[in-house]
Amino acid sequence: MWNEKLKREIPQGWNDCKIKDFMRIFTGKKDVSKAVPGNYKFFSCAPEPISSNEYIYDGYAVLVSGNGSYTGRVGFYKGKFDLYQRTYACVLDEDEHNISFFYYTLRYLFQPIYSGGKHGSSIPYIVLGDLADFRFAFNETICTKFVDATKPMFDEQLLRQKEVEALTKLRDELLPLLMNGQATVNYHLSAY
């Protein structure tokens, strides 16, 4: 049936909803230059996070870049983190189980529309309202089925992300030691 707010047809029994109907959205308070090395991820609008000695949230979050060359880019993180003042975190305070549905909704519906920003001339940006008022078609039954099907893969992806972070940290600690001869690697070729 035709939905006037979405300006397209949606299946009967579906509703048009806004992201703010489900998620709490907030930003950080710091400028990127205020981040200091620490134990927690600090997400700015750049593709790779830096670190911080403080965190403002602990849990699942969908992250949206608010300005710069990566405006509108959607990412995901689970754990303690801090945010740049123009990076948005979208969180579910009630049922974190559904986070994968909203991550994929924002990644595949919001990101293509808002990539590159909607405002600004020299530095593109999006505002909180662009994200909070983003409309999409929603059906509770389909959401539940989607989450049931994707949650195991989503959790596996999170596990792999943590493993990559641990291996990267180990590499960064060992590589200087190997390069200056403070450590060596013993290896042998086995006969086939």
Side-chain angles (χ1 to χ4, degrees):
M1 60 186 207
W2 179 257
N3 182 284
E4 188 58 36
K5 292 177 183 172
L6 291 173
K7 304 289 188 218
R8 65 183 174 91
E9 290 185 353
I10 63 173
Q12 193 166 355
W14 288 49
N15 300 307
D16 71 275
C17 297
K18 296 178 180 179
I19 288 296
K20 70 180 178 185
D21 295 338
F22 300 94
M23 306 186 90
R24 180 170 58 93
I25 304 168
F26 59 91
T27 64
K29 304 294 180 221
K30 295 180 186 164
D31 191 283
V32 174
S33 63
K34 302 289 186 212
V36 286
N39 294 324
Y40 309 108
K41 298 282 185 195
F42 181 93
F43 292 98
S44 67
C45 294
E48 295 299 321
I50 51 180
S51 63
S52 175
N53 61 356
E54 300 174 348
Y55 67 92
I56 62 171
Y57 190 77
D58 183 8
Y60 291 93
V62 177
L63 305 166
V64 181
S65 298
N67 71 357
S69 355
Y70 297 98
T71 302
R73 182 180 54 85
V74 176
F76 181 81
Y77 189 71
K78 179 189 175 197
K80 296 176 180 174
F81 64 88
D82 201 354
L83 285 174
Y84 165 57
Q85 60 193 357
R86 294 290 294 160
T87 300
Y88 300 102
C90 307
V91 300
L92 293 170
D93 290 326
E94 299 286 321
D95 187 9
E96 287 187 334
H97 183 74
N98 291 341
I99 195 77
S100 62
F101 175 82
F102 294 103
Y103 166 70
Y104 288 114
T105 296
L106 286 168
R107 177 143 185 188
Y108 293 104
L109 297 178
F110 178 87
Q111 184 172 305
I113 296 168
Y114 286 91
S115 182
K118 285 293 179 193
H119 313 280
S121 53
S122 60
I123 299 176
Y125 64 94
I126 57 174
V127 295
L128 180 64
D130 294 331
L131 181 57
D133 294 329
F134 179 71
R135 291 185 175 278
F136 62 99
F138 179 79
N139 178 281
E140 185 70 40
T141 304
I142 298 300
C143 175
T144 301
K145 288 180 180 180
F146 180 87
V147 169
D148 289 347
T150 61
K151 185 95 168 68
M153 294 179 285
F154 197 68
D155 290 341
E156 183 72 20
Q157 183 179 351
L158 284 172
L159 178 63
R160 297 294 170 242
Q161 182 182 15
K162 292 289 184 193
E163 289 174 350
V164 167
E165 288 172 8
L167 288 170
T168 300
K169 182 179 179 194
L170 185 61
R171 178 205 62 201
D172 292 347
E173 291 171 354
L174 290 176
L175 190 59
L177 298 175
L178 288 167
M179 296 299 285
N180 69 21
Q182 288 179 290
T184 60
V185 176
N186 282 336
Y187 64 93
H188 62 17
L189 296 173
S190 59
Y192 290 94

